[in-house]
Amino acid sequence: MSGLTRWLVLALLGAAPAAAESELLNSVKRNPSEVTALCSSFRRLNSDGQSAYSGETTRMIASTRNLSPTDAEVLITYVVGMTCPDVR
């Protein structure tokens, strides 16, 4: 599923409260070095044959950032879709 499609599905299903989602995405927007690091991490996963959208990656992001799995998935989808669309 493409990043845009995943994002639309999550948005339509109301995957996270709008205020929390907005703050989550705003925090990433304010920290470009964080986005660069995430993209690099996702590219390494891809080079190892793993997907940035895998359940394992989602759980890792959720754990390291103290997020719900849904918020982690939104974060991954946003970062990939907006800054590193070459990532799968």
Side-chain angles (χ1 to χ4, degrees), residues 15-78:
E21 191 173 298
S22 177
E23 183 51 40
L24 172 65
L25 300 182
N26 283 331
S27 71
V28 174
K29 290 177 191 177
R30 290 188 300 263
N31 195 345
S33 62
E34 179 180 8
V35 172
T36 300
L38 283 168
C39 284
S40 293
S41 175
F42 297 154
R43 286 186 183 105
R44 277 192 302 276
L45 286 169
N46 284 178
S47 70
D48 291 338
Q50 298 177 27
S51 172
Y53 298 106
S54 73
E56 182 178 340
T57 302
T58 300
R59 285 187 295 277
M60 178 195 66
I61 295 293
S63 174
T64 59
R65 296 173 180 277
N66 198 28
L67 299 171
S68 71
T70 301
D71 283 345
E73 190 171 84
V74 168
L75 176 65
I76 293 165
T77 302
Y78 176 79

